[in-house]
Amino acid sequence: MSQPINITKVANSKILEVDFDNIPFGKVFSDHMFVADYIDGHWIDPRIVPFGPFLIHPANLALHYGQSIFEGMKASKQLDGTPVFVRPLMHLERLNHSAVRMCMPEVPEDLFMNALNKLVNLDQDWIPTKEGSALYIRPFMFATGEFIGVQASNTYRLVIFTGPVGPYYNKPVRLLTEEHYVRAAVGGVGEAKTSGNYAASLLPAKIARDKGFDQVLWLDAVDFKYIQEVGTMNIFFVIGDKIITPATDGAILKGITRDSIIELLKENGYQVEERRISIDEVVEAYNNGTLKEAFGTGTAAWIAHVSEIQYKDKLMTLPPVEDRLIGPLAYNLLRNLRLGVTPDPFGWVVPVKTELVEA
Ligand SMILES: *Cc1c(COP(=O)(O)O)cnc(C)c1O
């Protein structure tokens, strides 16, 4: 039995201030947010309140020792106007996986789904309708304990807020293979969507940008040889007639878009090899002319085509996107599923429950 969610609505919506034809990514927030607190072993006081700041104690454990995890997902409207989530339970599963690794409490399914449905239903006018745009949803959890000393907090806060995002400008990305810094090692926290991973990536990302690249291509922490992923995306290569993506080995974030693309390609008769792939294999394929495509997958962009990869002093330039088959196909398969253009054989597309919100 799910707990009732107490709802306090905003006095005045801010929606009229938003130019839906021109939404800057990550800067526009919808009217409401969901909040629940974990105290004495229970999630209590689930509530939807006007979006706004929290008071934080200076000894807050999340600020000092990093018990903080998040998810990123989207709600969008289908061609007939139905608002839908895609694979919300897989996002919850990953949130809970991150929680366990960071010694934080798990979130029950009924609490999570009830919160998502109520929040997105209440702010459904914030879901943009323009093709490629969506309502970005950011569930996150952080420690609220107040104590100076490294220990797991006894109390936590779960928050979900949302914000409209415009069509992601699919400009192909240039990658710099990182040879000095690592993102994650097996046994570490690379599989968790936890804030410290992203703080750790900022310096190498800045160095790459200063050299004219968009993102870092990460190699494994032991041999500096096997490809892991890119920024906040998983990576795929098309070599000859093979589609290859690194197997998730414990150090790679298990992308839900990655999983969806693998399944969708399989459904359409393509095989995807999930295995170790070294940067040397990619260079060799480039040298013998069989490296046809590379693309990243993630909730923000869905598919980001890779135009160039730098490794040591070698710059590999990939064929133009117009000449590619798999990346554009993967994008369209996911797009058609989301929009309801093609039926969903997987049960991934979940309509937002739009029953009337109690006052
Ligand atoms: C979130 C994320 C991804 C992509 O995951 P999706 O579920 O597809 O959005 C890939 N790598 C990292 C490091 C991430 O944080």
Side-chain angles (χ1 to χ4, degrees), residues 70-73 90-91 94 136 138 183 190 192-194 197-198 218 229-235 251-260 297-302:
F70 66 95
E71 271 302 312
M73 52 190 289
M90 196 163 174
H91 283 279
R94 190 170 64 189
Y136 186 81
R138 170 54 61 92
R183 191 192 91 89
K193 254 179 138 66
T194 183
N197 283 338
Y198 305 87
W218 297 107
E229 57 183 306
V230 172
T232 54
M233 293 189 293
N234 296 107
I235 184 124
I252 294 175
L253 200 288
K254 289 182 176 169
I256 292 167
T257 317
R258 170 188 183 277
D259 188 79
S260 300
T297 61
T299 294
W302 299 350

Side-chain angles (χ1 to χ4, degrees), residues 43-277:
W43 287 105
I44 63 158
D45 195 15
R47 55 206 187 267
I48 287 173
V49 294
F51 179 83
F54 302 118
L55 278 177
I56 297 281
H57 191 279
N60 172 284
L61 282 166
L63 292 182
H64 296 266
Y65 309 119
Q67 270 188 310
S68 176
I69 59 173
F70 66 95
E71 271 302 312
M73 52 190 289
K74 283 175 171 173
S76 52
K77 283 193 176 149
Q78 298 202 301
L79 287 182
D80 67 1
T82 310
V84 295
F85 302 113
V86 176
R87 312 190 78 178
L89 289 176
M90 196 163 174
H91 283 279
L92 173 65
E93 199 180 297
R94 190 170 64 189
L95 181 74
N96 284 336
H97 183 86
S98 301
V100 169
R101 180 64 183 86
M102 305 311 289
C103 209
M104 298 165 79
E106 294 183 64
V107 178
E109 179 179 325
D110 58 353
L111 177 68
F112 186 75
M113 288 311 297
N114 202 8
L116 272 186
N117 278 306
K118 291 257 161 48
L119 181 68
V120 175
N121 182 41
L122 182 62
D123 281 339
Q124 60 176 282
D125 291 345
W126 289 82
I127 307 175
T129 47
K130 206 178 194 178
E131 158 110 45
S133 60
L135 187 72
Y136 186 81
I137 303 172
R138 170 54 61 92
F140 67 110
M141 191 205 301
F142 60 98
T144 50
E146 300 159 0
F147 182 76
I148 289 299
V150 178
Q151 64 169 43
S153 179
N154 289 322
T155 58
Y156 296 88
R157 178 163 290 173
L158 171 69
V159 184
I160 308 175
F161 66 75
T162 73
V165 291
Y168 190 92
Y169 179 46
N170 253 332
K171 184 173 156 295
V173 292
R174 306 181 66 227
L175 307 181
L176 177 63
T177 310
E178 178 58 55
E179 291 172 72
H180 176 66
Y181 296 103
V182 293
R183 191 192 91 89
V186 175
V189 294
E191 257 188 15
K193 254 179 138 66
T194 183
S195 12
N197 283 338
Y198 305 87
S201 73
L202 295 177
L203 179 63
K206 179 183 183 301
I207 293 169
R209 267 202 311 279
D210 288 347
K211 291 182 182 163
F213 294 90
D214 300 300
Q215 305 235 19
V216 168
L217 178 64
W218 297 107
L219 299 179
D220 78 279
V222 177
D223 300 305
F224 268 96
K225 181 174 171 182
Y226 297 100
I227 293 168
Q228 291 185 328
E229 57 183 306
V230 172
T232 54
M233 293 189 293
N234 296 107
I235 184 124
F236 288 69
F237 296 94
V238 180
I239 297 180
D241 59 1
K242 293 196 161 71
I243 308 169
I244 306 157
T245 191
T248 52
D249 58 356
I252 294 175
L253 200 288
K254 289 182 176 169
I256 292 167
T257 317
R258 170 188 183 277
D259 188 79
S260 300
I261 295 298
I262 292 171
E263 290 303 317
L264 282 165
L265 286 172
K266 270 191 197 158
E267 171 84 5
N268 283 269
Y270 294 88
Q271 285 306 315
V272 180
E273 296 179 11
E274 294 179 67
R275 62 166 168 86
R276 296 229 280 190
I277 174 167

